[in-house]
Amino acid sequence: MTWLIVGLIVFLGVHSVRAVAPAWRDAMVARLGEGSWKGLYSLISLAGLVLLVWGYAQARPDAPVFYESPIWTRHIVIVLMWIAMVLLVAAYVPTGHIKKRIKHPMITAVKVWALAHLLANGDLATIVLCLAVLGWAVFVRIAEKRGGDPVFESVSVTGDIIAVVAGSVVTLWFVLQLHELLIGVSPV
């Protein structure tokens, strides 16, 4: 569990710099240059992600189980994950009505992912991981709101179509193959 927590601190910590210390971040970008800052940020993020994934894999087999989800929650989890994938794609495609309405679809996708996995898994490792990520997403969204929500001038339904189609395809791939390949557990 220790490496999971260390990984969470590193990964979520570096992803909190803009919200917690924007002036320090701006000073570092000015000092190092945009490219070097992004490189350093990416290396620290990757190190945190590796520690988090490795720590989770180490902690999960021995983690105490606090609850067993009923079998029918799998359907809810799959629908929630579909929503999360659509939101995730919407964050990176041309602005559509989804992005305009949600404002920060990536952060919302992370919240939905965490909630879905809390519904599906009652072991301590998953609870720690998902509550930490969910708490971080709520915190970052509040910080983003204080800074002012983005304003999208032009909106195209094309972005929505891409988000729904690509999000649906990725969800199907995860459900039918990728989740088991990467995580070792089939969601169906």
Side-chain angles (χ1 to χ4, degrees):
M1 191 70 73
T2 302
W3 291 113
L4 169 61
I5 293 169
V6 169
L8 282 166
I9 290 168
V10 172
F11 186 77
L12 297 178
V14 76
H15 282 86
S16 300
V17 169
R18 183 181 294 242
V20 174
W24 179 82
R25 180 199 170 277
D26 293 343
M28 291 301 290
V29 170
R31 188 170 136 217
L32 299 173
E34 182 103 17
S36 294
W37 168 256
K38 286 182 178 180
L40 179 62
Y41 180 94
S42 297
L43 284 173
I44 295 170
S45 293
L46 182 60
L49 183 62
V50 167
L51 285 171
L52 184 158
V53 169
W54 183 71
Y56 180 75
Q58 297 298 311
R60 190 154 191 254
D62 300 324
V65 176
F66 290 97
Y67 58 89
E68 295 274 342
S69 297
I71 195 77
W72 56 266
T73 58
R74 286 183 179 184
H75 305 294
I76 296 169
V77 170
I78 290 171
V79 170
L80 288 173
M81 287 309 302
W82 173 72
I83 292 168
M85 289 296 182
V86 169
L87 290 170
L88 180 64
V89 174
Y92 295 101
V93 296
T95 300
H97 298 282
I98 295 169
K99 187 187 285 187
K100 183 177 182 181
R101 176 80 173 122
I102 302 296
K103 296 182 179 51
H104 295 279
M106 171 69 139
I107 296 170
T108 307
V110 169
K111 290 182 205 175
V112 174
W113 171 89
L115 176 63
H117 284 80
L118 281 170
L119 283 174
N121 304 289
D123 63 278
L124 182 60
T126 302
I127 292 169
V128 168
L129 171 65
C130 292
L131 285 179
V133 171
L134 182 59
W136 169 84
V138 169
F139 168 75
V140 168
R141 179 61 182 108
I142 291 168
E144 291 285 335
K145 215 175 214 178
R146 285 188 184 142
D149 283 328
V151 176
F152 303 108
E153 296 298 324
S154 64
V155 176
S156 168
V157 73
T158 304
D160 296 325
I161 292 169
I162 293 169
V164 170
V165 170
S168 298
V169 168
V170 172
T171 301
L172 279 172
W173 184 29
F174 257 89
V175 167
L176 299 176
Q177 184 181 28
L178 199 56
H179 196 278
E180 185 171 14
L181 181 69
L182 294 174
I183 311 300
V185 177
S186 175
V188 290

